[in-house]
Amino acid sequence: MSTRYNARAAEPKWQKLWEDRGTFRTPEPSGRPKYYVLEMFPYPSGRIHMGHVRNYTMGDVIARYKRARGFDVLHPMGWDAFGLAAENAAMEKNVHPKSWTYDNIAAMRTQLKAIGLSFDWDRELATCDPEYCGHEQAIFLDFLEAGFVSRRKSMVNWDPVDNTVLANEQVIDGCGWRSGAPVERRELTQWFFNITDFADDLLDGLDTLEHWPEKVRTMQRNWIGRSEGAKVFFALDGVAEAPDYKLEIFTTRPDTLFGASFCALSPHHPLTQKLAADNADLQAFIRKCDQIGTSEEAIETAEKLGFDTGLKARHPFIEGKTLPVYVANFVLMEYGTGAIFACPAHDQRDLDFARKYDLPVIPVVAPKDLTETARAAFVEELAAHSTDAFTGDGVAVNSDFLNGLDVMAAKRAAIEKLEAMSLGQGTINYRLRDWGISRQRYWGCPIPVIHCEACGIVPVPRDQLPVVLPDDVTFDKPGNPLDRHPTWKHVDCPKCGKPARRETDTFDTFVDSSWYFARFCAPKAGTPTVRAATDRWLPVDQYIGGVEHAILHLLYSRFFTRAMHRLGHVGLDEPFARLFTQGMVNHETYRDAAGKWLPPSEVAIETAGGKRVAKRISDGTPVTIGSIEKMSKSKKNTVDPDDIISQYGADTSRWFMLSDSPPERDVQWTDAGAEGAWRFTQRFWRLAAGADDIAPAGASRPESFDDAALALRRAAHKALDALTDDIEHLRFNRAVARIYELANAISGFVPANDAGKWAKREALEFMVLAAAPMMPHLAEECWAALGHEIPAVDTEWPVADKALIVEDSVTIAVQVNGKRRDELTVARDADNETVERAALALEKVGKAIDGKAVRKVIVVPGKIVNVVV
RNA sequence: GCGGACGUGGUGAAACUGGUAGACACAAGGGACUUAAAAUCCCUUUCGGGUAACCGAGUGCGGGUUCGAGUCCCGCCGUCCGCACCA
């Protein structure tokens, strides 16, 4: 044996062996239980980063562990390959998005393979592959036929410089994230998935996802934002062009209608727009509202502003009463109907507005159980002075037929009355919007429809799929290259044969990632999915990824699965049975004297007088050590996995990513930590491969063991048992600690006889096999050195002997008045009386009792004795 | 503002359903081996007092429940995340 473990030589060797043997190829149905492990697939940016290493290592540990436990494992990998970055690269570096993307994929595949991940590479796919696109287009056509898709005008964020639509998250402080130009609101005809039709189902489904983080479920619940209430129609006086105009509003508090003091319209409400057409003051007001901006700060400090339209709305319940109609900056067109009725007494915003414009405040709900006088005082105070609206539960007052009812009952009664009068109806409103999927981009999956003057929207016939992107495009001009391509969009209508126009918008890339998990079940099939395959593998048993996808990707995938279920592609609604969101990888930041960010590779850290001091390696100038932040290019605090792997090996990186921090929390990358992990791989190697005082492989178990050997066996079985449980629960940092414990136990053991040698081999084999999912290459190397022909990866997971885990005797703490005074070793099954007597006999206990009368003795078997005096 | 998570040594963290707080690792200090260094091995390391045995304090702060609280309850303070004029 050489004295050093050479990861650089060993790792490729074992990777090749696994590949040659087809070890990780997904098995054909075998009757064994299945397990589908999936990590969110990456965007092929060109380089793997440490976050990927962490994410994929966690998945790999599970995949390898489940494989060893006898599961048929599906563990695929692919590429979320469409997206804007490829077009930006095309513009900046003059490379074609396609070659840029596929080159990146090739580079990243090589990097991922160097980590030794147990993917079935035969199932690899990229969402930009024409086959994948074609199947996605077929699913879209299915959705279209099934009525899950619609096409309508909607307001979008339009970047006037880049000539493209921006997603909400691409708008920063009202400007395009790339161009910096102020974003315009523009009305555009767009394709939508009717996700709101599934809103209730998506909401209810969350209750079944018990193995999802509560946090993610809450976020989705809030995002869907279901609220029950009523639509109310207010007849308007003073709309000259439409005397019968009815203003439709949404409210969750129909019980407060008797407290209404005004109505308010969004600046973007159609009626507002109509009124503004010949009203310059209103136009100016609308402009003022739009200028306030969308930053959090602006919204938080924004004053309530209103513009009196002069219109009057007729109160639905009070004959002859009218309410002024304002345009107000705090009313959003995107929510509800874009118009409200305001009850200042019971809504803070309405109250702020009413106090500012001196509108009436009419309390119609009072706290329960107030005396007559107290209630009158409450009403008086709220109406006249208070600046705090009363939003709590209570009883209706000043509300005619609602008086005396509590809020819930009053809501119901109000809705009933509105419905009877045909002035409104109970309704449910969602915050969730339909999913706009049109993108005016080149590098995406083309939407497979054709626009014909005569026939309208015509789906591309299925035998003409996939609609592929043209290669000959230019990026020298802003806007969508598909749109200005000389020939691509010109096609004959499949229905009437006349010249027609291809849809030039492409899908939002979230569409691509909404079904890839289903495609992985049968990635080569001629149909988008194969039902037998999705039935066999879905749901994904363990899905792992970052929390940043808690809402969009996961919600869209849940929607897709439901829609695909109705069409028979899959047989279930929820694609991901268990979800785990892992934390980020952080690193210290460094800046030079000029405040410029420096990468860790250019900085040397020294410890002087207990303080850490940083210097620039090149010239020794001082460097400021900054805060610990998520690794990012902008702050240059990144560590390249390739560098780490070439320096220490993949197993060291994997080990370090799993140790110390709980997987759901952020982990800090430190050089010292990485070195520590590397030192341990070496120690592990010396311990396992260098052991010359162990029994031969396959030797039968001795009849008896001396105390030291028995203690080692106990330690080994205990560590194995605990580690197995830790991996089952994804507590990788604890699993790592168990390996350290076991290694420490083995290090301190010297066999005194053959039984001892046998015990040491057993412990070493446990250690190697238990570490194998985490450090697979090192484990193989050690396993072979221990004399095994069959690779560790094909060796079954060892099972701990429960009899060895339970100790015969236990050490328990003895407390006096809850304070620990001594400890006591007793037989595991000693009865309470014996334990109590032994505890009281202890010298230190007697001293602590100090002659006082013992009032009570609590004995918790196997845990503790507490003497109360 | 609303919702959620969290707060434990110099550091990352353990502590299952209330039962010996600090496992395991990093860092630091000391020692062994070596001509020397690297590597390795051993020891110390929650804080305060004491040579020591030992004593006292200790899981953000203040209360409470309990024989017993890092863990449960109430009220604060702080950090992080999500949402946000949602009618």
Side-chain angles (χ1 to χ4, degrees):
Chain A
M1 167 204 156
S2 67
T3 51
R4 276 208 170 187
Y5 170 62
N6 185 349
R8 217 178 306 176
E11 289 179 351
K13 180 179 77 187
W14 293 109
Q15 284 163 15
K16 183 168 185 308
L17 178 116
W18 298 327
E19 195 172 335
D20 290 349
R21 291 168 64 107
T23 302
F24 303 122
R25 210 170 289 145
T26 311
E28 293 301 314
S30 64
R32 305 194 302 175
K34 69 94 183 177
Y35 203 90
Y36 186 177
V37 196
L38 186 65
E39 299 101 66
M40 290 180 185
F41 64 167
Y43 178 79
S45 59
R47 306 288 303 164
I48 292 291
H49 55 71
M50 275 301 164
H52 292 125
V53 176
R54 193 174 191 212
N55 188 187
Y56 300 141
T57 301
M58 288 179 192
D60 198 48
V61 172
I62 297 165
R64 286 174 177 270
Y65 166 76
K66 287 290 176 184
R67 222 180 139 269
R69 289 310 296 261
F71 286 81
D72 283 349
V73 170
L74 172 58
H75 187 213
M77 178 45 67
W79 311 95
D80 190 11
F82 276 132
L84 195 54
E87 291 187 50
N88 292 338
M91 277 180 260
E92 285 156 21
K93 294 173 200 153
N94 198 29
V95 286
H96 195 278
K98 188 195 260 182
S99 54
W100 183 83
T101 301
Y102 279 103
D103 287 352
N104 284 350
I105 287 174
M108 287 172 78
R109 187 192 300 115
T110 305
Q111 286 186 297
L112 283 186
K113 285 192 172 180
I115 304 172
L117 302 165
S118 66
F119 293 125
D120 177 359
W121 285 104
D122 290 351
R123 295 195 178 223
E124 179 185 357
L125 57 82
T127 56
C128 64
D129 293 338
E131 304 80 58
Y132 189 88
C133 258
H135 294 305
E136 187 165 303
Q137 289 162 349
I139 290 175
F140 173 83
L141 296 180
D142 290 346
F143 281 18
L144 193 61
E145 282 165 23
F148 300 158
V149 182
S150 53
R151 182 175 155 80
R152 63 186 119 95
K153 285 186 172 178
S154 94
M155 297 297 283
V156 295
N157 304 306
W158 182 262
D159 185 319
V161 172
D162 282 354
N163 279 318
T164 185
V165 166
L166 298 178
N168 282 333
E169 54 275 12
Q170 292 165 347
V171 180
I172 298 152
D173 284 336
C175 296
W177 68 286
R178 233 176 66 82
S179 68
V183 165
E184 294 171 8
R185 297 181 57 80
R186 210 181 251 203
E187 198 169 50
L188 220 67
T189 305
Q190 302 256 93
W191 288 99
F192 288 89
F193 282 138
N194 301 335
I195 191 170
T196 50
D197 290 349
F198 292 73
D200 266 329
D201 196 23
L202 287 165
L203 189 64
D204 294 343
L206 291 173
D207 294 333
T208 67
L209 298 174
E210 47 190 318
H211 299 296
W212 279 38
E214 190 52 49
K215 179 184 173 176
V216 174
R217 293 198 282 171
T218 305
M219 283 164 75
Q220 293 214 352
R221 237 174 244 127
N222 293 341
W223 187 263
I224 294 168
R226 178 192 152 106
S227 57
E228 291 180 22
K231 280 183 194 167
V232 186
F233 303 105
F234 283 81
L236 292 188
D237 291 340
V239 186
E241 303 88 332
D244 296 332
Y245 192 92
K246 298 236 190 243
L247 178 64
E248 183 185 344
I249 64 97
F250 174 75
T251 180
T252 57
R253 296 295 302 273
D255 60 307
T256 63
L257 267 166
F258 285 97
S261 71
F262 62 98
C263 285
L265 305 173
S266 162
H268 302 288
H269 194 279
L271 180 58
T272 311
Q273 299 294 320
K274 201 188 306 177
L275 294 170
D278 50 5
N279 186 332
D281 290 345
L282 181 52
Q283 282 168 26
F285 178 78
I286 294 169
R287 232 173 293 125
K288 194 172 168 192
C289 292
D290 285 347
Q291 274 164 5
I292 285 175
T294 50
S295 74
E296 300 118 72
E297 210 192 334
I299 288 171
E300 203 149 324
T301 54
E303 205 183 352
K304 304 275 177 290
L305 294 175
F307 182 95
D308 191 348
T309 61
L311 301 176
K312 300 289 177 200
R314 272 180 244 150
H315 195 287
F317 292 154
I318 305 172
E319 190 63 38
K321 174 162 180 163
T322 62
L323 308 171
V325 178
Y326 282 81
V327 174
N329 64 340
F330 67 91
V331 181
L332 305 174
M333 194 58 223
E334 295 78 36
Y335 188 79
T337 61
I340 61 162
F341 89 85
C343 175
H346 306 292
D347 182 287
Q348 193 57 49
R349 292 156 303 171
D350 297 350
L351 184 61
D352 294 346
F353 191 89
R355 292 288 183 229
K356 178 168 164 111
Y357 291 98
D358 205 19
L359 294 158
V361 176
I362 310 158
V364 289
V365 184
K368 280 180 189 162
D369 305 325
L370 289 186
T371 61
E372 201 66 28
T373 13
R375 178 184 295 174
F378 169 83
V379 167
E380 164 62 22
E381 167 64 18
L382 181 51
H385 311 290
S386 179
T387 51
D388 292 318
F390 174 66
T391 54
D393 196 10
V395 290
V397 296
N398 296 330
S399 294
D400 192 5
F401 64 93
L402 299 176
N403 283 341
L405 298 175
D406 63 31
V407 168
M408 271 307 292
K411 281 182 186 176
R412 272 197 300 272
I415 290 169
E416 254 169 55
K417 181 86 169 189
L418 286 167
E419 288 177 348
M421 297 169 76
S422 299
L423 284 175
Q425 66 189 86
T427 184
I428 294 160
N429 191 60
Y430 299 92
R431 208 190 82 104
L432 181 70
R433 311 278 76 188
D434 274 336
W435 174 14
I437 52 167
S438 298
R439 295 291 181 272
Q440 292 68 42
R441 305 227 179 280
Y442 167 73
W443 194 234
C445 176
I447 299 175
V449 293
I450 288 162
H451 301 273
C452 171
E453 291 264 327
C455 312
I457 302 283
V458 183
V460 173
R462 287 176 190 259
D463 58 11
Q464 291 173 27
L465 296 182
V467 176
V468 293
L469 293 166
D471 284 336
D472 52 334
V473 285
T474 53
F475 295 91
D476 49 351
K477 281 181 275 207
N480 184 352
L482 291 178
D483 203 35
R484 60 169 184 264
H485 190 278
T487 56
W488 188 77
K489 70 175 171 183
H490 302 294
V491 286
D492 292 340
C493 171
K495 234 183 195 168
C496 67
K498 288 195 206 117
R501 185 175 59 80
R502 224 181 248 298
E503 171 71 61
T504 56
D505 285 354
T506 50
F507 286 136
D508 178 3
T509 55
F510 276 113
V511 177
D512 311 334
S513 53
S514 290
W515 69 288
Y516 78 113
F517 48 88
R519 181 67 186 167
F520 272 141
C521 300
K524 304 270 163 60
T527 50
T529 56
V530 174
R531 184 57 188 270
T534 54
D535 281 350
R536 168 161 160 71
W537 290 111
L538 291 177
V540 174
D541 294 280
Q542 182 66 63
Y543 196 36
I544 308 175
V547 235
E548 64 272 23
H549 296 110
I551 297 173
L552 297 183
H553 163 59
L554 291 169
L555 191 65
Y556 293 153
S557 297
R558 295 179 61 226
F559 158 71
F560 246 74
T561 306
R562 280 166 170 73
M564 287 168 74
H565 187 187
R566 297 203 190 170
L567 296 167
H569 285 288
V570 299
L572 77 182
D573 279 345
E574 291 295 346
F576 311 122
R578 284 168 188 271
L579 173 71
F580 188 85
T581 54
Q582 101 275 8
M584 294 181 301
V585 182
N586 299 338
H587 197 287
E588 264 180 345
T589 50
Y590 308 106
R591 294 179 116 151
D592 66 11
K596 232 181 70 196
W597 299 106
L598 293 175
S601 53
E602 287 179 24
V603 177
I605 309 270
E606 284 160 23
T607 313
K611 271 194 147 188
R612 297 174 71 241
V613 181
K615 276 183 189 161
R616 193 171 183 149
I617 293 171
S618 54
D619 54 12
T621 52
V623 168
T624 314
I625 300 178
S627 58
I628 295 157
E629 299 192 47
K630 179 190 178 180
M631 284 190 182
S632 73
K633 274 181 203 155
S634 61
K635 294 192 175 142
K636 294 198 176 166
N637 59 337
T638 55
V639 171
D640 190 335
D642 269 2
D643 294 346
I644 302 301
I645 289 169
S646 60
Q647 195 178 351
Y648 298 117
D651 285 336
T652 294
S653 323
R654 296 170 60 117
W655 185 250
F656 181 51
M657 283 290 90
L658 295 170
S659 49
D660 290 345
S661 287
E664 68 278 9
R665 233 182 277 180
D666 287 359
V667 67
Q668 195 198 343
W669 182 276
T670 61
D671 288 345
E675 273 165 37
W678 182 79
R679 278 199 303 270
F680 183 67
T681 59
Q682 295 297 333
R683 189 178 154 217
F684 191 101
W685 161 252
R686 285 194 303 273
L687 200 55
D692 49 11
D693 52 355
I694 56 173
S700 56
R701 187 175 70 203
E703 289 294 315
S704 62
F705 296 89
D706 58 38
D707 286 353
L710 192 61
L712 180 67
R713 292 200 70 208
R714 286 190 191 285
H717 284 257
K718 263 190 197 168
L720 175 64
D721 185 60
L723 176 140
T724 303
D725 192 55
D726 289 336
I727 291 185
E728 288 279 358
H729 293 95
L730 276 52
R731 296 186 290 236
F732 304 118
N733 58 320
R734 299 210 312 200
V736 164
R738 310 289 181 202
I739 296 287
Y740 276 112
E741 269 172 344
L742 181 51
N744 290 345
I746 298 170
S747 296
F749 174 76
V750 180
N753 47 41
D754 283 350
K757 289 181 178 179
W758 192 92
K760 182 166 179 184
R761 164 171 286 275
E762 180 188 49
L764 283 173
E765 294 197 346
F766 279 7
M767 181 182 84
V768 169
L769 291 176
M774 299 184 270
M775 299 191 286
H777 314 87
L778 176 61
E780 291 292 3
E781 198 74 14
C782 293
W783 192 244
L786 284 168
H788 292 281
E789 302 277 330
I790 298 167
V793 76
D794 286 329
T795 304
E796 258 183 64
W797 192 255
V799 178
D801 182 353
K802 294 281 177 198
L804 284 167
I805 294 167
V806 185
E807 297 279 2
D808 297 337
S809 62
V810 285
T811 302
I812 61 176
V814 182
Q815 302 177 332
V816 177
N817 283 346
K819 191 162 282 190
R820 182 178 169 276
R821 292 296 170 181
D822 203 354
E823 56 185 34
L824 181 64
T825 302
V826 293
R828 179 170 49 85
D829 48 6
D831 61 280
N832 288 0
E833 214 173 300
T834 317
V835 175
E836 182 178 330
R837 229 176 301 120
L840 289 171
L842 289 166
E843 194 193 326
K844 286 177 191 167
V845 172
K847 217 170 109 191
I849 292 170
D850 194 26
K852 295 190 198 87
V854 173
R855 290 204 315 209
K856 200 172 9 167
V857 178
I858 288 141
V859 180
V860 184
K863 298 264 169 144
I864 208 161
V865 180
N866 192 9
V867 182
V868 188
V869 297

